[in-house]
Amino acid sequence: MTTLSLEVEKLNNFINGEWVDVSEAQAVINPATGEEIVQVPLSTKEMVDEAVAAAKAAQKEWALVPAPQRAEVLYRVGYIMKERKERLSQLLTMENGKVIEEARGEVQEGIDMAFYMAGEGRRLFGQTTPAELKDKFAMSQRAPVGVVGIITPWNFPIAIATWKSFPAIVAGNAVVWKPATETPIMAYELAKIFEEAGLPKGIINVVFGAGSVVGEAMVHHEAIRVISFTGSNDTGRNIASECGKQLKKVSLEMGGKNAVIVMDDADLDLAVEGILWSAFGTSGQRCTACSRVIVHEKVKRTLEERLLAAMDKLSIGNGLDESIKVGPIINQSGIAKIKQYIEIGKAEGADLLAGGYELTEDAHENGYYFAPTLFTNAKADMRIAQEEIFGPVVSIIPVASFEEAIEVNNGVTYGLSSSIFTNDVNRVFKAQRDLDTGIVYVNAGTTGAEIHLPFGGTKGTGNGHRDSGIQALDVFTEWKAIYVDYSGKLQRAQIDVES
């Protein structure tokens, strides 16, 4: 098991191309060991003001750089990330806890996003369209918004940051970024990579600190015209409310209560693999995690038996160990929330088949570990089947038909991801039509989004915008309609039209 160390004991903000010291800081803890890794700054509102001022000044010149040239910076970022993939992956596991295999996948997602969005520098397509008058040309094109604020979570500290910052930058904007205080190292490393890749000063600004201070200041700053946020529903609603008062564009990606549907004709071994990966990868701490298994009653018992046997083989521990399959929970607050829901599930009458307890002995003594947990005979309206737990907890809900499975899947306030295991092509097409989620998987788990497709959900999961794919550009651009009249005379649309 390899361990890395940072060359600094305390991180600094990155503002206008300079590393800025902040006096107040707090410890960043490795959730696998309980040990301090580094100190993260706790910035003030005034530091946000400095970052916004730098971004606003730099953005005007950046917007005039041809988009293909802006894209060259992202290509260089991608190549540097590729060269440092293993280092970044190990640091990610240290601060976040996810197993090294998953960390490598997350870093690869950032690399892919760099190359994908760099390609958009030679597209950023607008439209040309016929005008209704003679000797007149009509077209539309994307224009940068200006200064954008991005607020990213701890569970995917580099992937989600690239989903937001890369399209914003290639579109000609400048960015002020508040990373999660639990996982600031990826932001520090990415800022260094931007610096090395030659991104002009002021285009990316990293301000570490508490959401109640840094995030609040960003949301209320009049010069920030877009807020892109990934995190909890309560915080997202508050951001949307405040941005609405300012007529500020806001993109929200929030929670999920995702289900895997297993029909009576499914390949059960494949379904078990999909459930294990979706439910217990990242220790269940992802918005796309499977926390419900909706299974046809004809195969419920067999699925339970195979799932329990597979869960029994899961190794739990420090994610830097290549043999480990399930890492720690992010902190003690996360453990406490999971414990609360275990008690809720028991009180509601669900049957606890496995897990349900914190791991505190031997190799787990100093970290934050929780046993993979399986409830069965849950009802669709139970809180454990309705509310996001954000941990390695799955509830099995039996159903009698395909139609009931769809109804149960859709009967939650969230709408991020869903999955169905079946070999019936008719069910496949009905499911992808009727499942009320932004992402649908067939014969795969609820995770595994690819960066060239839109990522986001319906209902309480978000507000209609999408991360990744070309749709991400819609968050960070405005559409501008342009008319060029070369007739030499005044022509009035809708009036001077020959009927």
Side-chain angles (χ1 to χ4, degrees), residues 108-175:
Q108 185 62 48
E109 193 165 354
I111 295 167
D112 294 343
M113 195 66 179
F115 293 132
Y116 178 75
M117 274 300 158
E120 286 304 310
R122 290 191 176 272
R123 289 184 289 268
L124 287 176
F125 293 137
Q127 295 173 316
T128 58
T129 184
E132 65 182 46
L133 296 167
K134 292 180 180 179
D135 298 328
K136 186 178 180 182
F137 181 77
M139 65 179 177
S140 64
Q141 65 182 32
R142 293 184 185 273
V145 174
V147 179
V148 305
I150 66 174
I151 302 173
T152 56
W154 52 260
N155 61 334
F156 283 86
I158 196 165
I160 292 176
T162 65
W163 291 359
K164 299 177 186 295
S165 64
F166 290 177
I169 287 169
V170 81
N173 301 287
V175 174

Side-chain angles (χ1 to χ4, degrees), residues 274-346:
I275 294 165
L276 281 183
W277 169 238
S278 301
F280 305 126
T282 322
S283 301
Q285 300 171 110
R286 49 189 175 195
C287 54
T288 56
C290 165
S291 57
R292 299 182 295 157
V293 174
I294 303 168
V295 59
H296 197 287
E297 58 190 15
K298 290 182 180 179
V299 294
K300 171 179 172 287
R301 176 163 300 226
T302 304
L303 181 71
E304 287 174 351
E305 292 171 352
R306 296 187 190 183
L307 192 53
L308 285 169
M311 288 173 62
D312 192 52
K313 297 176 183 177
L314 291 173
S315 52
I316 305 164
N318 190 328
L320 287 173
D321 183 337
E322 298 277 358
S323 69
I324 295 298
K325 297 301 180 184
V326 180
I329 304 302
I330 188 65
N331 52 34
Q332 194 59 48
S333 296
I335 291 282
K337 181 181 178 182
I338 298 166
K339 284 182 175 179
Q340 180 183 10
Y341 274 100
I342 298 302
E343 296 308 312
I344 289 170
K346 292 176 181 177

Side-chain angles (χ1 to χ4, degrees), residues 243-262:
C243 288
K245 295 174 186 176
Q246 304 166 66
L247 300 180
K248 183 178 296 189
K249 186 188 287 189
V250 59
S251 171
L252 304 174
E253 201 287 298
M254 301 180 292
K257 192 65 181 176
N258 315 292
V260 168
I261 296 172
V262 182

Side-chain angles (χ1 to χ4, degrees), residues 209-286:
S212 59
V213 178
V214 175
E216 187 82 5
M218 289 169 60
V219 168
H220 288 94
H221 202 295
E222 63 179 8
I224 293 181
R225 298 312 307 155
V226 173
I227 292 288
S228 181
F229 167 81
T230 297
S232 73
N233 281 65
D234 288 343
T235 302
R237 288 191 185 95
N238 290 336
I239 290 173
S241 176
E242 293 303 316
C243 288
K245 295 174 186 176
Q246 304 166 66
L247 300 180
K248 183 178 296 189
K249 186 188 287 189
V250 59
S251 171
L252 304 174
E253 201 287 298
M254 301 180 292
K257 192 65 181 176
N258 315 292
V260 168
I261 296 172
V262 182
M263 297 309 301
D264 53 342
D265 65 332
D267 180 335
L268 295 186
D269 289 332
L270 180 61
V272 166
E273 288 186 50
I275 294 165
L276 281 183
W277 169 238
S278 301
F280 305 126
T282 322
S283 301
Q285 300 171 110
R286 49 189 175 195

Side-chain angles (χ1 to χ4, degrees), residues 12-20 191 195 204-208:
N12 290 329
N13 286 342
F14 187 67
I15 298 176
N16 201 27
E18 304 293 333
W19 295 99
V20 181
E195 184 181 32
I204 185 79
N205 302 273
V206 181
V207 185
F208 297 105

Side-chain angles (χ1 to χ4, degrees), residues 81-97:
M81 289 180 69
K82 193 172 182 179
E83 291 171 357
R84 299 179 188 169
K85 180 178 176 179
E86 188 59 24
R87 170 182 167 79
L88 291 170
S89 302
Q90 291 186 28
L91 289 171
L92 173 52
T93 292
M94 285 173 59
E95 68 172 349
N96 169 276

